[in-house]
Amino acid sequence: MEKIRAGVLGATGNVGQRFIEMLSKHPWFELTSLAASDRSAGKRYGDAANWRLDSKIPQDAAGMTIVPVDTEKVNADIVFSALPADLAKTVEPEFAKAGFVVASNASAMRMMKDIPLVIPEVNPEHLGLIDVQQDERNWDGYIITNPNCTTIMMTVTLKPLMKFGIERIYISSMQAISGAGYDGVASMAILDNVIPYIEKEEEKVETETRKLLGEFDGGKIIDAPFEVSASCHRVMVIDGHTEAIWVEMSDDPFPEEVKEAFMSFDPGLSDLPTEPNPVIEVKEEKDRPQPRMDRNIGGGMTVSVGRIRPGIRYICMGHNTIRGAAGASVLNAELLKKMGKL
């Protein structure tokens, strides 16, 4: 099978490195362009990137020359964007207008009415917005986004609970420091500490969840009718966001019914290379899930849940830079290919 040419925008950063790790041996995609800031452009990737992941830098990527973030310089059919939000807001539309498919992890475009915000297991039908987007903006390409890392983990677990009639959701997150980037939280700030505020995080969780679980009527997304209340906190964990979730549902299910809904959840995407099996893993131990022990299940793409109690209350946890970032965009791209949109 001929592989699809793939580029990474913002290739030297934390999420950019995850993209390269996941794409370097992907069966469907071939890395053909690595783009970064002007200070890195022209250098070998192995020389310019301060590789921070546990895995070794892929040799094919290490030898590639970094190009500017420019539609004329990037050689690809699809670009995976790890750009900062302020830059993504202007750059991603330029790439879509020039005919590229843009699979974005950035927050800049997520809530725009004609931009699909997608988790393949949750709302693949929202990809219908691509036609709306191209018609309204007169673009040859298009942009598809994945949600905030905290939102992704929670919403994957909410999808199988929709049948019980969700009325209100409360979430308290304990978020890993890698979510802020390598230099995002000073060691003197996080050591021996919990930081009870992450800028704009609560707003993202509260709005993105309703769009994801909303209805596509053929022209727009009608947000889900329930309310989401979030409190987000940074904790001294390297990778893996843990979330305490309370869900009020009209059917008032028993914990065993919720557990069964989690365990039987099968979105039918097992043919996608990055799709984990299971999507949701129920932990029976009374003190699980835990980031250090559970974040790498399913290659970092499985969401773990545990402590399902009356109410309904439970804990969910997932790898924030894999399932919550780069892996989410890669899975979206795989879905696009499956649906014939690449």
Side-chain angles (χ1 to χ4, degrees), residues 12-301:
T12 57
N14 192 32
V15 174
Q17 292 181 18
R18 284 291 185 196
F19 275 129
I20 290 168
E21 179 186 56
M22 299 189 74
L23 292 168
S24 63
K25 295 183 179 180
H26 197 284
W28 295 357
F29 301 110
E30 177 186 4
L31 274 175
T32 52
S33 279
L34 303 180
S37 64
D38 290 341
R39 67 176 178 270
S40 296
K43 299 178 182 178
R44 289 177 68 257
Y45 184 78
D47 297 330
N50 191 357
W51 191 257
R52 302 290 190 182
L53 304 186
D54 293 337
S55 60
K56 290 184 179 181
I57 183 171
Q59 287 306 301
D60 56 343
M64 293 177 67
T65 300
I66 297 174
V67 299
V69 182
D70 185 324
T71 59
E72 297 295 326
K73 303 296 184 182
V74 172
N75 172 34
D77 302 305
I78 180 170
V79 290
F80 294 88
S81 174
L83 295 171
D86 56 345
L87 188 57
K89 190 172 184 178
T90 57
V91 170
E92 291 178 358
E94 291 174 359
F95 273 81
K97 185 177 181 179
F100 292 83
V101 174
V102 181
S104 176
N105 181 66
S107 63
M109 311 287 286
R110 289 174 186 158
M111 296 307 296
M112 293 188 176
K113 65 178 184 178
D114 61 343
I115 303 293
L117 178 67
V118 173
I119 303 172
E121 299 95 341
V122 172
N123 61 332
E125 69 279 5
H126 287 199
L127 291 177
L129 275 178
I130 291 171
D131 293 335
V132 176
Q133 178 188 143
Q134 290 181 312
D135 288 345
E136 291 187 351
R137 296 177 184 255
N138 196 28
W139 285 350
D140 292 326
Y142 57 86
I143 298 171
I144 174 176
T145 64
N146 58 262
N148 167 273
C149 47
T150 311
T151 306
I152 288 179
M153 258 67 82
M154 177 178 70
T155 307
V156 166
T157 69
L158 292 174
K159 178 63 175 182
L161 304 185
M162 290 287 283
K163 64 183 180 181
F164 298 120
I166 294 175
E167 294 182 333
R168 191 170 184 91
I169 302 158
Y170 302 88
I171 172 177
S172 180
S173 71
M174 293 150 276
Q175 298 183 213
I177 56 177
S178 60
Y182 189 83
D183 298 318
V185 183
S187 60
M188 286 286 285
I190 196 64
L191 289 171
D192 190 33
N193 203 16
V194 172
I195 301 173
Y197 173 72
I198 304 173
E199 186 175 4
K200 298 181 181 179
E201 193 80 358
E202 291 157 357
E203 294 86 347
K204 292 175 185 176
V205 174
E206 291 171 352
T207 56
E208 290 175 12
T209 304
R210 296 183 65 210
K211 182 176 181 179
L212 286 159
L213 293 172
E215 179 185 351
F216 177 55
D217 70 357
K220 64 182 183 302
I221 305 298
I222 302 170
D223 286 352
F226 48 74
E227 294 299 320
V228 182
S229 297
S231 183
C232 297
H233 322 97
R234 190 76 69 190
V235 299
M236 198 172 59
V237 172
I238 294 175
D239 290 314
H241 287 357
T242 304
E243 303 169 12
I245 300 171
W246 294 256
V247 188
E248 296 178 357
M249 293 171 275
S250 59
D251 289 357
D252 194 21
F254 292 107
E256 284 301 317
E257 293 178 278
V258 170
K259 177 182 175 181
E260 173 58 29
F262 288 150
M263 295 180 68
S264 62
F265 181 52
D266 180 6
L269 299 175
S270 60
D271 55 339
L272 302 185
T274 305
E275 177 74 352
N277 182 23
V279 176
I280 301 173
E281 176 155 306
V282 176
K283 310 302 292 187
E284 301 288 355
E285 301 90 335
K286 64 183 179 182
D287 60 350
R288 300 278 285 279
Q290 296 179 22
R292 194 171 66 188
M293 300 176 73
D294 301 315
R295 61 192 170 209
N296 291 316
I297 296 172
M301 290 295 288

